[in-house]
Amino acid sequence: MTQRKRSRSIRNAAIVGVSTALLGVTAPVTASAAGGSAPEALTWSACEGTGLDPRQECATLDVPMDYADPDGPRIEMAVSRIPVEKPDARRGALVLIAGGPGGSSLNDPSGKGRKIPQDVRDTHDLIGFAPRGLAPSTSVSCGLEYGDLATSKLRPWPAPDGSVDANMTTARRVADACARNGGELIKHLSTANEARDIDRLRAALGERRISAWGVSYGTYVGAVYAQLFPHRTDRFVLDSVDNPDPARVNRAWLAAHEQGVEDTFPHFAAWASEPGNPDRVADRAADVRPMFLRLAARLDREPIPWPGANPEELNGNVLRQTMLDSFAAPSRYPTLARLMRAAAEGTVPPAPQAPPEAVLQNVAAVGAGVLCNDVAWPRSAASYEKDVAESRAEYPLTAGMPRNAMLCAAWPYPPREAPVRITDRGPSNALLVQNERDVNTPLSGALRMREALGRRAVMVTVDSTGHDAYLANGNACGDATVSRFLATGQRPGRDVYCG
């Protein structure tokens, strides 16, 4: 890598972890997806930047942009590693697969590596990477208008009256920008291609098989990899698990938010009504839900100006989006509670600090490409209007957003291949770990993955709240079960519950 490229990569590496948090047999390229010329061995060098483990090394891997043309144009994939700490005990490589789409694990060997138990670090190299399209890998951008980068705009919140007309207009505008500015690469962003990139990485590492820890969207990437390359898998952990429904894919992930909110809201309400809580919003847990609904409805009618925020007003959908963001971890509950208290008083807190616009542009483009290329979305406003009306009636907290039209409703490129169907064919070497209350990947979707994998998997259900279970928002029982599996291969004989 040239010094100029390395400098650009290091400048971006510190911030590529930002994610949108925005959700049959595959054809035609399957087990030989790493086709074309064999990947060269990786050339490792010290990683520059701040806050990294000094042992973390960086490299760049060339992969095909189009796996249907493996000897055609190439793109760069930024990768990292922390080598095994006991070489004599080394078993192999543990690939860390980030969520998103739009998340990066490039710095996870340093970050998550500090939490991973010693006996796992003694036996495995820790491997991170920035997925295709995400800087410092060869990157894409749609060049969106700044207002369209707001999370409450990227999520398809309907108008206060339930209309989806504005969402369809936004979808056309944003999709047109991606077609105009995204270049050839945006057509080749997909989960299947990320899985193929991982297999090129496996080959470049010189590994016959790899282990993996996939989180959130990374669970779908991991499941797709295990389906395409079943005999290249060793110990696979899927943490906070996506529904693999091949007919809907990311549409099912978005739709799951309505149930995820219902699963989580009672936990938030109990916290938000505790005596002595400085961010308490109500005297009784039963009062928190109607308070939230009243505030959202009032803000729909009378938004409060919010200088410096995007958008520059606190409206009902911004409050609802803050709820989604805050429910990802109980440690974020104060953000929602403080916004509710401010809104009740007709004020706003200081505007939240946004990541640099270039990062938002990059992450939004990667998310758009993967979500829209993986599966075709309906293009008729009428179909969304019907679904939104049903969702609003049944799940008022999310106001119809989970069944609404993302930009994929106007995406100009048809999917290049059918979604990968996850099946029970392959080695029995997967361990699923799932919190009972998870707003982003609810238990109901994880059970669909468990069903699809059949005998290949065992599932650990954790009595905990928040997104990301292992070493994050889970509990000691779940963490110990996963750590034991990664370090020794010992897996429960059947599904277990960690209370």
Side-chain angles (χ1 to χ4, degrees), residues 292-377:
F292 178 88
L293 291 171
R294 285 195 305 271
L295 282 173
R298 193 182 80 191
L299 291 169
D300 283 338
R301 298 187 304 269
E302 302 171 2
I304 303 172
W306 201 356
N310 185 18
E312 289 197 328
E313 66 176 24
L314 172 56
N315 57 41
N317 286 338
V318 170
L319 180 67
R320 296 178 183 103
Q321 182 61 53
T322 303
M323 173 186 64
L324 277 179
D325 296 341
S326 299
F327 280 7
S331 60
R332 301 184 190 180
Y333 286 175
T335 299
L336 175 59
R338 291 166 192 170
L339 189 60
M340 289 174 64
R341 290 174 58 164
E345 297 170 359
T347 62
V348 291
Q353 183 175 3
E357 183 175 346
V359 174
L360 293 176
Q361 292 281 7
N362 185 202
V363 169
V366 172
V370 174
L371 295 175
C372 302
N373 291 333
D374 269 4
V375 68
W377 286 54

Coordinates of all heavy atoms in Angstrom, one line a residue, residues 292-377:
F292 N -45.5 8.6 26.6 CA -44.7 8.6 25.3 C -45.6 8.9 24.1 O -45.3 9.7 23.2 CB -43.9 7.3 25.2 CG -43.1 7.3 23.9 CD1 -41.8 7.7 23.8 CD2 -43.7 6.7 22.7 CE1 -41.1 7.7 22.6 CE2 -42.9 6.7 21.5 CZ -41.7 7.2 21.5
L293 N -46.7 8.2 24.1 CA -47.6 8.3 22.9 C -48.2 9.7 22.8 O -48.3 10.3 21.7 CB -48.7 7.3 23.0 CG -48.3 5.8 22.8 CD1 -49.4 4.9 23.1 CD2 -47.8 5.6 21.4
R294 N -48.5 10.3 24.0 CA -49.0 11.7 24.0 C -48.0 12.7 23.5 O -48.3 13.6 22.7 CB -49.5 12.1 25.4 CG -50.8 11.4 25.8 CD -51.4 12.2 27.1 NE -50.4 12.2 28.2 CZ -50.3 11.3 29.1 NH1 -51.1 10.2 29.1 NH2 -49.4 11.4 30.1
L295 N -46.7 12.5 24.0 CA -45.7 13.4 23.6 C -45.4 13.3 22.1 O -45.2 14.3 21.4 CB -44.4 13.1 24.3 CG -44.3 13.6 25.8 CD1 -43.0 13.0 26.4 CD2 -44.3 15.1 25.8
A296 N -45.4 12.1 21.5 CA -45.1 11.9 20.1 C -46.2 12.5 19.3 O -46.0 13.2 18.3 CB -45.0 10.4 19.8
A297 N -47.5 12.3 19.7 CA -48.6 12.9 19.0 C -48.5 14.5 19.0 O -48.8 15.1 18.0 CB -49.9 12.4 19.6
R298 N -48.2 15.0 20.2 CA -48.1 16.5 20.3 C -47.0 17.0 19.4 O -47.1 18.0 18.8 CB -47.9 16.9 21.7 CG -48.1 18.4 22.0 CD -47.8 18.7 23.4 NE -46.4 18.9 23.6 CZ -45.8 19.0 24.9 NH1 -46.6 18.9 25.9 NH2 -44.5 19.1 25.0
L299 N -45.9 16.3 19.4 CA -44.7 16.8 18.6 C -45.0 16.6 17.1 O -44.5 17.3 16.3 CB -43.5 16.0 19.0 CG -42.9 16.3 20.3 CD1 -41.8 15.4 20.7 CD2 -42.4 17.8 20.4
D300 N -45.9 15.6 16.7 CA -46.4 15.5 15.3 C -47.1 16.8 14.9 O -46.9 17.3 13.8 CB -47.3 14.4 15.2 CG -46.6 13.0 15.1 OD1 -45.4 13.0 14.8 OD2 -47.3 12.0 15.4
R301 N -47.9 17.4 15.9 CA -48.7 18.6 15.6 C -47.8 19.8 15.8 O -48.0 20.8 15.0 CB -49.9 18.6 16.5 CG -50.9 17.5 16.3 CD -52.1 17.7 17.2 NE -51.8 17.9 18.6 CZ -51.8 17.0 19.5 NH1 -52.0 15.7 19.1 NH2 -51.5 17.3 20.8
E302 N -47.0 19.8 16.8 CA -46.3 21.1 17.1 C -44.8 20.8 17.4 O -44.3 20.6 18.5 CB -46.9 21.7 18.4 CG -48.4 22.0 18.3 CD -49.0 22.4 19.6 OE1 -48.2 22.4 20.7 OE2 -50.2 22.6 19.7
P303 N -44.0 20.6 16.3 CA -42.6 20.4 16.5 C -41.9 21.5 17.3 O -42.3 22.7 17.2 CB -42.0 20.2 15.1 CG -43.2 19.9 14.3 CD -44.4 20.7 14.9
I304 N -40.8 21.2 18.0 CA -40.0 22.2 18.7 C -38.8 22.5 17.9 O -38.0 21.5 17.6 CB -39.7 21.7 20.1 CG1 -41.0 21.4 20.9 CG2 -38.9 22.7 20.9 CD1 -40.7 20.7 22.2
P305 N -38.4 23.7 17.6 CA -37.2 24.0 16.9 C -36.0 23.4 17.7 O -35.9 23.5 18.9 CB -37.1 25.5 16.9 CG -38.5 25.9 17.0 CD -39.2 24.9 17.9
W306 N -35.0 22.9 17.0 CA -33.8 22.2 17.6 C -32.6 22.6 16.8 O -32.1 21.8 16.0 CB -34.0 20.7 17.6 CG -33.2 20.0 18.7 CD1 -32.2 20.6 19.5 CD2 -33.2 18.6 19.0 NE1 -31.7 19.6 20.3 CE2 -32.2 18.4 20.0 CE3 -33.9 17.5 18.5 CZ2 -32.0 17.2 20.5 CZ3 -33.7 16.3 19.0 CH2 -32.7 16.1 20.0
P307 N -32.1 23.8 17.0 CA -30.9 24.3 16.2 C -29.7 23.3 16.4 O -29.4 22.9 17.5 CB -30.6 25.6 16.8 CG -31.9 26.1 17.4 CD -32.5 24.8 17.9
G308 N -29.1 23.0 15.2 CA -27.9 22.2 15.2 C -28.2 20.7 15.1 O -27.3 19.9 14.8
A309 N -29.4 20.3 15.2 CA -29.8 18.9 15.0 C -30.1 18.7 13.5 O -30.3 19.6 12.8 CB -31.0 18.5 15.9
N310 N -30.2 17.4 13.2 CA -30.7 17.1 11.8 C -31.8 16.0 11.9 O -31.5 14.9 12.2 CB -29.5 16.5 11.0 CG -29.9 16.2 9.6 OD1 -30.8 16.8 9.0 ND2 -29.0 15.4 8.9
P311 N -33.0 16.4 11.6 CA -33.5 17.8 11.2 C -33.5 18.8 12.4 O -33.3 18.4 13.5 CB -35.0 17.5 10.8 CG -35.4 16.3 11.6 CD -34.2 15.5 11.8
E312 N -33.6 20.0 12.0 CA -33.5 21.1 13.1 C -34.8 21.3 13.8 O -35.3 22.4 14.0 CB -33.0 22.4 12.5 CG -31.5 22.3 12.1 CD -30.9 23.6 11.8 OE1 -31.6 24.5 11.4 OE2 -29.7 23.7 12.1
E313 N -35.5 20.2 14.1 CA -36.7 20.3 14.9 C -36.9 18.9 15.6 O -36.5 17.9 15.1 CB -37.9 20.6 14.1 CG -38.3 19.5 13.1 CD -39.6 19.8 12.3 OE1 -40.0 21.0 12.3 OE2 -40.3 18.9 11.9
L314 N -37.5 19.0 16.8 CA -37.9 17.8 17.5 C -39.3 17.5 17.2 O -40.2 18.2 17.7 CB -37.7 18.0 19.0 CG -38.2 16.9 19.9 CD1 -37.6 15.5 19.5 CD2 -38.0 17.2 21.4
N315 N -39.5 16.6 16.3 CA -40.9 16.2 15.9 C -41.2 14.8 16.5 O -40.3 14.1 17.1 CB -41.1 16.3 14.4 CG -40.1 15.4 13.6 OD1 -39.8 14.3 14.0 ND2 -39.6 16.0 12.5
G316 N -42.4 14.3 16.2 CA -42.8 13.0 16.7 C -41.9 11.9 16.3 O -41.6 11.0 17.0
N317 N -41.5 11.9 15.0 CA -40.7 10.8 14.5 C -39.3 10.9 15.0 O -38.6 9.8 15.2 CB -40.7 10.9 12.9 CG -42.0 10.4 12.4 OD1 -42.8 9.7 13.1 ND2 -42.3 10.8 11.2
V318 N -38.7 12.1 15.3 CA -37.4 12.1 15.9 C -37.5 11.5 17.3 O -36.6 10.8 17.7 CB -36.9 13.6 16.0 CG1 -35.7 13.7 16.9 CG2 -36.6 14.1 14.6
L319 N -38.6 11.8 18.1 CA -38.7 11.1 19.4 C -38.8 9.6 19.2 O -38.2 8.9 20.0 CB -40.0 11.7 20.1 CG -40.3 11.1 21.4 CD1 -39.2 11.5 22.4 CD2 -41.6 11.5 21.9
R320 N -39.6 9.1 18.2 CA -39.7 7.7 18.0 C -38.3 7.1 17.6 O -38.0 6.0 18.1 CB -40.7 7.4 17.0 CG -42.2 7.9 17.4 CD -43.2 7.6 16.3 NE -44.5 8.1 16.6 CZ -45.0 9.2 16.1 NH1 -44.4 10.0 15.2 NH2 -46.2 9.6 16.6
Q321 N -37.6 7.8 16.8 CA -36.3 7.3 16.4 C -35.3 7.2 17.6 O -34.5 6.3 17.7 CB -35.7 8.1 15.3 CG -34.3 7.6 14.8 CD -34.4 6.2 14.2 OE1 -35.2 5.9 13.3 NE2 -33.6 5.3 14.7
T322 N -35.4 8.2 18.5 CA -34.6 8.2 19.7 C -35.0 7.0 20.5 O -34.1 6.4 21.2 CB -34.8 9.5 20.4 OG1 -34.5 10.7 19.6 CG2 -33.9 9.6 21.7
M323 N -36.2 6.7 20.6 CA -36.6 5.5 21.3 C -35.9 4.3 20.8 O -35.3 3.5 21.5 CB -38.1 5.3 21.3 CG -38.6 4.0 21.9 SD -40.4 3.7 21.6 CE -40.5 3.6 19.8
L324 N -36.0 4.1 19.5 CA -35.3 2.9 18.9 C -33.8 2.9 19.2 O -33.3 1.9 19.6 CB -35.5 3.0 17.3 CG -36.8 2.4 16.8 CD1 -36.8 2.6 15.2 CD2 -37.0 1.0 17.1
D325 N -33.2 4.0 19.0 CA -31.7 4.1 19.3 C -31.4 3.8 20.8 O -30.5 3.1 21.1 CB -31.2 5.5 18.9 CG -31.3 5.8 17.5 OD1 -31.4 4.8 16.7 OD2 -31.2 7.0 17.1
S326 N -32.3 4.3 21.7 CA -32.0 4.2 23.1 C -32.3 2.8 23.6 O -31.7 2.4 24.6 CB -32.9 5.2 23.9 OG -32.5 6.5 23.5
F327 N -33.2 2.1 23.0 CA -33.5 0.7 23.4 C -32.4 -0.3 23.1 O -32.5 -1.4 23.5 CB -34.9 0.3 22.9 CG -36.1 0.9 23.6 CD1 -35.9 1.8 24.6 CD2 -37.3 0.4 23.2 CE1 -37.0 2.3 25.2 CE2 -38.4 1.0 23.9 CZ -38.3 1.9 24.9
A328 N -31.4 0.1 22.4 CA -30.3 -0.8 22.0 C -29.5 -1.3 23.2 O -28.9 -2.3 23.2 CB -29.4 -0.2 21.0
A329 N -29.6 -0.5 24.3 CA -28.9 -0.8 25.5 C -29.5 -0.1 26.7 O -29.7 1.1 26.5 CB -27.4 -0.5 25.4
P330 N -29.7 -0.7 27.8 CA -30.2 0.0 29.0 C -29.3 1.2 29.4 O -29.9 2.2 29.9 CB -30.2 -1.0 30.1 CG -30.4 -2.3 29.3 CD -29.6 -2.1 28.1
S331 N -28.1 1.2 29.1 CA -27.2 2.4 29.4 C -27.6 3.6 28.6 O -27.2 4.7 28.9 CB -25.7 2.0 29.1 OG -25.5 1.7 27.7
R332 N -28.4 3.4 27.5 CA -28.8 4.6 26.7 C -30.2 5.1 27.1 O -30.7 6.1 26.5 CB -28.9 4.2 25.2 CG -27.6 3.7 24.6 CD -27.7 3.4 23.1 NE -26.5 2.7 22.6 CZ -26.4 2.4 21.3 NH1 -27.4 2.6 20.5 NH2 -25.3 1.8 20.9
Y333 N -30.9 4.4 28.1 CA -32.2 4.9 28.5 C -32.2 6.3 28.9 O -33.2 7.0 28.6 CB -32.7 4.0 29.6 CG -33.1 2.6 29.3 CD1 -33.5 1.7 30.3 CD2 -33.2 2.2 28.0 CE1 -34.0 0.4 30.0 CE2 -33.6 0.9 27.7 CZ -34.0 0.0 28.7 OH -34.4 -1.3 28.4
P334 N -31.2 6.9 29.6 CA -31.3 8.3 30.0 C -31.5 9.2 28.8 O -32.1 10.3 28.9 CB -30.0 8.5 30.7 CG -29.6 7.2 31.3 CD -30.0 6.2 30.2
T335 N -30.9 8.9 27.6 CA -31.1 9.8 26.4 C -32.5 10.0 26.1 O -33.0 11.1 25.9 CB -30.3 9.2 25.2 OG1 -28.9 9.1 25.6 CG2 -30.5 10.1 24.0
L336 N -33.3 8.9 26.0 CA -34.7 9.0 25.7 C -35.5 9.7 26.9 O -36.3 10.5 26.6 CB -35.3 7.6 25.5 CG -36.8 7.5 25.3 CD1 -37.2 8.4 24.1 CD2 -37.3 6.1 25.1
A337 N -35.2 9.3 28.1 CA -35.9 9.9 29.2 C -35.7 11.4 29.3 O -36.6 12.2 29.5 CB -35.4 9.3 30.5
R338 N -34.5 11.9 29.0 CA -34.2 13.3 29.1 C -34.9 14.0 27.9 O -35.3 15.2 28.1 CB -32.7 13.5 29.1 CG -32.0 13.1 30.3 CD -30.5 13.0 30.2 NE -29.9 12.3 31.4 CZ -28.7 11.9 31.5 NH1 -27.8 12.1 30.4 NH2 -28.2 11.3 32.6
L339 N -34.9 13.4 26.8 CA -35.6 14.0 25.7 C -37.1 14.1 25.9 O -37.8 15.1 25.6 CB -35.4 13.2 24.4 CG -35.9 13.9 23.1 CD1 -35.2 15.2 22.9 CD2 -35.6 13.0 21.9
M340 N -37.7 13.0 26.5 CA -39.1 13.1 26.9 C -39.4 14.2 27.9 O -40.4 14.9 27.8 CB -39.5 11.7 27.5 CG -39.6 10.6 26.5 SD -39.9 9.0 27.2 CE -41.6 9.2 27.9
R341 N -38.5 14.3 28.9 CA -38.7 15.4 29.9 C -38.6 16.7 29.3 O -39.4 17.6 29.6 CB -37.7 15.2 31.1 CG -38.0 13.9 31.9 CD -36.9 13.7 32.9 NE -36.7 14.8 33.8 CZ -36.1 14.8 35.0 NH1 -35.6 13.6 35.4 NH2 -36.0 15.8 35.7
A342 N -37.6 16.9 28.4 CA -37.5 18.2 27.8 C -38.7 18.5 26.9 O -39.2 19.7 26.9 CB -36.2 18.2 26.9
A343 N -39.2 17.5 26.1 CA -40.3 17.7 25.3 C -41.6 18.1 26.1 O -42.4 18.9 25.7 CB -40.6 16.5 24.4
A344 N -41.7 17.4 27.2 CA -42.9 17.7 28.1 C -42.9 19.2 28.6 O -43.9 19.8 28.8 CB -42.9 16.8 29.2
E345 N -41.7 19.7 28.7 CA -41.5 21.1 29.1 C -41.5 22.1 27.9 O -41.3 23.3 28.1 CB -40.3 21.3 30.0 CG -40.3 20.5 31.2 CD -38.9 20.4 31.9 OE1 -38.0 21.0 31.4 OE2 -38.9 19.8 33.0
G346 N -41.5 21.6 26.7 CA -41.4 22.4 25.5 C -40.1 22.9 25.2 O -39.9 23.9 24.5
T347 N -39.0 22.2 25.7 CA -37.6 22.5 25.4 C -36.9 21.4 24.7 O -37.5 20.3 24.4 CB -36.9 22.9 26.7 OG1 -36.9 21.7 27.5 CG2 -37.6 24.0 27.4
V348 N -35.7 21.6 24.4 CA -34.8 20.5 23.8 C -33.5 20.5 24.5 O -33.0 21.5 25.0 CB -34.6 20.7 22.3 CG1 -35.9 20.5 21.5 CG2 -34.0 22.1 22.0
P349 N -32.8 19.3 24.6 CA -31.5 19.3 25.1 C -30.5 19.8 24.1 O -30.9 20.1 22.9 CB -31.3 17.8 25.4 CG -32.2 17.1 24.4 CD -33.3 18.0 24.2
P350 N -29.2 19.9 24.4 CA -28.2 20.2 23.3 C -28.3 19.2 22.2 O -28.6 18.0 22.3 CB -26.9 20.1 24.1 CG -27.2 20.3 25.5 CD -28.6 19.7 25.7
A351 N -28.1 19.7 21.0 CA -28.2 18.9 19.8 C -27.1 17.8 19.8 O -26.0 18.0 20.2 CB -28.0 19.7 18.5
P352 N -27.5 16.5 19.5 CA -26.5 15.4 19.5 C -25.5 15.7 18.4 O -25.7 16.2 17.4 CB -27.4 14.2 19.2 CG -28.6 14.7 18.5 CD -28.9 16.1 19.1
Q353 N -24.2 15.3 18.8 CA -23.1 15.5 17.8 C -23.1 14.3 16.8 O -23.2 13.2 17.2 CB -21.8 15.5 18.6 CG -20.6 15.7 17.7 CD -19.3 15.8 18.5 OE1 -19.3 15.7 19.7 NE2 -18.2 16.1 17.8
A354 N -23.2 14.7 15.5 CA -23.2 13.7 14.5 C -21.8 13.4 14.0 O -20.9 14.2 14.1 CB -24.0 14.3 13.3
P355 N -21.6 12.2 13.5 CA -20.3 11.8 12.9 C -20.0 12.8 11.7 O -20.9 13.4 11.2 CB -20.4 10.4 12.5 CG -21.6 9.9 13.3 CD -22.5 11.0 13.5
P356 N -18.8 12.8 11.2 CA -18.4 13.6 10.1 C -19.3 13.2 8.9 O -19.7 12.0 8.7 CB -17.0 13.3 9.8 CG -16.4 12.9 11.1 CD -17.5 12.2 11.8
E357 N -19.7 14.2 8.1 CA -20.6 13.9 7.0 C -20.1 12.9 6.0 O -20.8 12.1 5.5 CB -20.9 15.2 6.2 CG -21.9 15.0 5.1 CD -22.4 16.3 4.4 OE1 -22.1 17.4 4.9 OE2 -23.0 16.1 3.3
A358 N -18.7 12.9 5.8 CA -18.2 11.9 4.8 C -18.4 10.5 5.4 O -18.7 9.5 4.6 CB -16.7 12.1 4.7
V359 N -18.4 10.3 6.7 CA -18.6 9.0 7.2 C -20.1 8.6 7.1 O -20.4 7.5 6.7 CB -18.2 8.9 8.7 CG1 -18.6 7.6 9.3 CG2 -16.7 9.1 8.9
L360 N -21.0 9.5 7.3 CA -22.4 9.3 7.2 C -22.7 9.0 5.7 O -23.5 8.0 5.4 CB -23.2 10.5 7.6 CG -23.2 10.8 9.1 CD1 -23.9 12.1 9.4 CD2 -23.8 9.7 9.9
Q361 N -22.1 9.7 4.8 CA -22.4 9.4 3.4 C -21.9 8.0 3.0 O -22.6 7.2 2.3 CB -21.6 10.4 2.5 CG -22.1 11.8 2.6 CD -23.4 12.1 1.7 OE1 -24.0 11.1 1.2 NE2 -23.8 13.3 1.6
N362 N -20.7 7.6 3.5 CA -20.2 6.3 3.2 C -21.1 5.2 3.8 O -21.5 4.2 3.1 CB -18.8 6.2 3.7 CG -18.0 4.9 3.3 OD1 -17.1 4.5 4.0 ND2 -18.5 4.2 2.3
V363 N -21.4 5.3 5.0 CA -22.2 4.3 5.7 C -23.6 4.2 5.1 O -24.1 3.1 4.9 CB -22.3 4.6 7.2 CG1 -23.3 3.7 7.9 CG2 -20.9 4.4 7.9
A364 N -24.2 5.3 4.8 CA -25.5 5.3 4.2 C -25.5 4.6 2.8 O -26.4 3.8 2.5 CB -26.1 6.7 4.0
A365 N -24.5 4.8 2.0 CA -24.4 4.2 0.7 C -24.2 2.7 0.8 O -24.8 1.9 0.1 CB -23.2 4.8 -0.1
V366 N -23.3 2.2 1.8 CA -23.1 0.8 1.9 C -24.4 0.1 2.4 O -24.8 -0.9 1.9 CB -22.0 0.5 2.9 CG1 -21.9 -0.9 3.3 CG2 -20.6 1.0 2.4
G367 N -25.1 0.8 3.4 CA -26.4 0.2 3.8 C -27.4 0.1 2.7 O -28.1 -0.9 2.5
A368 N -27.5 1.2 1.9 CA -28.4 1.2 0.8 C -28.1 0.1 -0.2 O -29.0 -0.7 -0.7 CB -28.4 2.5 0.1
G369 N -26.8 0.0 -0.6 CA -26.5 -1.0 -1.6 C -26.8 -2.4 -1.1 O -27.4 -3.2 -1.9
V370 N -26.4 -2.8 0.1 CA -26.7 -4.1 0.6 C -28.1 -4.4 0.7 O -28.7 -5.4 0.3 CB -25.9 -4.4 1.9 CG1 -26.3 -5.7 2.5 CG2 -24.4 -4.3 1.7
L371 N -28.9 -3.5 1.4 CA -30.3 -3.7 1.7 C -31.1 -3.9 0.4 O -32.0 -4.7 0.3 CB -30.8 -2.6 2.5 CG -30.3 -2.4 3.9 CD1 -30.9 -1.1 4.5 CD2 -30.6 -3.6 4.8
C372 N -30.7 -3.1 -0.6 CA -31.5 -3.0 -1.9 C -31.1 -4.1 -2.9 O -31.9 -4.5 -3.7 CB -31.5 -1.7 -2.5 SG -32.1 -0.3 -1.4
N373 N -29.8 -4.5 -2.8 CA -29.3 -5.5 -3.8 C -29.6 -6.9 -3.3 O -29.7 -7.8 -4.1 CB -27.8 -5.4 -4.0 CG -27.4 -4.1 -4.7 OD1 -28.2 -3.6 -5.5 ND2 -26.2 -3.6 -4.5
D374 N -29.8 -7.1 -2.0 CA -30.1 -8.5 -1.5 C -31.4 -9.0 -1.9 O -31.5 -10.3 -2.2 CB -30.0 -8.5 0.0 CG -28.6 -8.7 0.6 OD1 -27.7 -8.8 -0.2 OD2 -28.5 -8.8 1.8
V375 N -32.4 -8.2 -2.0 CA -33.8 -8.7 -2.4 C -34.6 -7.6 -3.0 O -34.4 -6.4 -2.6 CB -34.5 -9.3 -1.1 CG1 -34.8 -8.2 -0.1 CG2 -35.7 -10.1 -1.5
A376 N -35.5 -7.9 -3.9 CA -36.3 -6.9 -4.5 C -37.4 -6.5 -3.5 O -38.0 -7.3 -2.8 CB -36.9 -7.4 -5.8
W377 N -37.6 -5.2 -3.4 CA -38.7 -4.6 -2.6 C -39.9 -4.3 -3.4 O -39.8 -3.9 -4.6 CB -38.2 -3.3 -1.9 CG -37.2 -3.6 -0.7 CD1 -36.1 -4.3 -0.8 CD2 -37.4 -3.1 0.6 NE1 -35.4 -4.3 0.4 CE2 -36.2 -3.6 1.3 CE3 -38.3 -2.3 1.3 CZ2 -36.0 -3.3 2.6 CZ3 -38.1 -2.1 2.6 CH2 -37.0 -2.5 3.3

